[in-house]
């Protein structure tokens, strides 16, 4: 049931996402542990404004980025997305993959993380 972490190194920032509850069909949100590491960039921004999640044909924006205030060079937090679409349908229902995209973080236009769902 667990999903492996994925890492994208680009620009001056290394981003690692670890799905926390993709296998939980009762979850209210889809949550990802995020680790951001850099030696040169301020990481104090709101990651939720940069992130989207796509499951099948549905795409949703992140709702919350819970991380310690102040940023710094090593930031860990929780990135959450709604588990249902605008009509209240479960996002993961019928989807084969989950794709998290982070745009324009530290000058990198797009970072993409893909997980195959256990059907």
């Amino acid at each position: 049931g667990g999903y492996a972490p994925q890492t994208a190194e680009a620009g001056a920032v290394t981003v690692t996402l670890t799905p926390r509850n993709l296998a939980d069909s009762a979850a209210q949100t889809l949550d990802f542990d995020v680790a951001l590491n850099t030696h040169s960039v301020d990481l104090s921004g709101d990651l939720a404004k940069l992130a989207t999640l796509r499951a099948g044909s549905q795409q949703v924006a992140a709702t919350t980025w819970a991380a310690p205030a102040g940023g710094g060079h090593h930031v860990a937090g929780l990135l959450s997305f709604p588990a249902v679409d605008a009509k209240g349908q479960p996002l993961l229902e019928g989807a084969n993959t989950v794709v998290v995209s982070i745009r324009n973080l530290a000058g990198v236009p797009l970072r993409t993380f893909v997980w195959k769902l256990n059907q």
Side-chain angles (χ1 to χ4, degrees):
Y3 290 87
Q6 292 195 16
T7 300
E9 291 184 47
V13 180
T14 299
V15 182
T16 301
L17 264 66
T18 307
R20 197 184 257 196
N21 63 345
L22 289 182
D24 180 0
S25 60
Q28 299 295 307
T29 58
L30 301 174
D31 301 325
F32 295 81
D33 290 313
V34 179
L36 304 172
N37 290 291
T38 182
H39 293 289
S40 58
V41 180
D42 177 29
L43 297 173
S44 61
D46 183 356
L47 197 62
K49 293 178 179 165
L50 309 177
T52 57
L53 179 145
R54 194 172 74 242
S57 61
Q58 301 282 4
Q59 181 167 304
V60 293
T63 50
T64 56
W65 167 236
H73 293 307
H74 307 285
V75 174
L78 184 68
L79 186 63
S80 297
F81 299 87
V84 296
D85 66 17
K87 297 176 187 152
Q89 298 302 309
L91 279 178
L92 301 183
E93 197 170 276
N96 296 317
T97 58
V98 167
V99 180
V100 175
S101 300
I102 299 174
R103 297 181 191 284
N104 303 318
L105 176 65
V108 176
L110 180 64
R111 298 165 201 261
T112 305
F113 305 83
V114 181
W115 289 270
K116 286 191 185 306
L117 294 173
N118 304 331
Q119 293 297 332

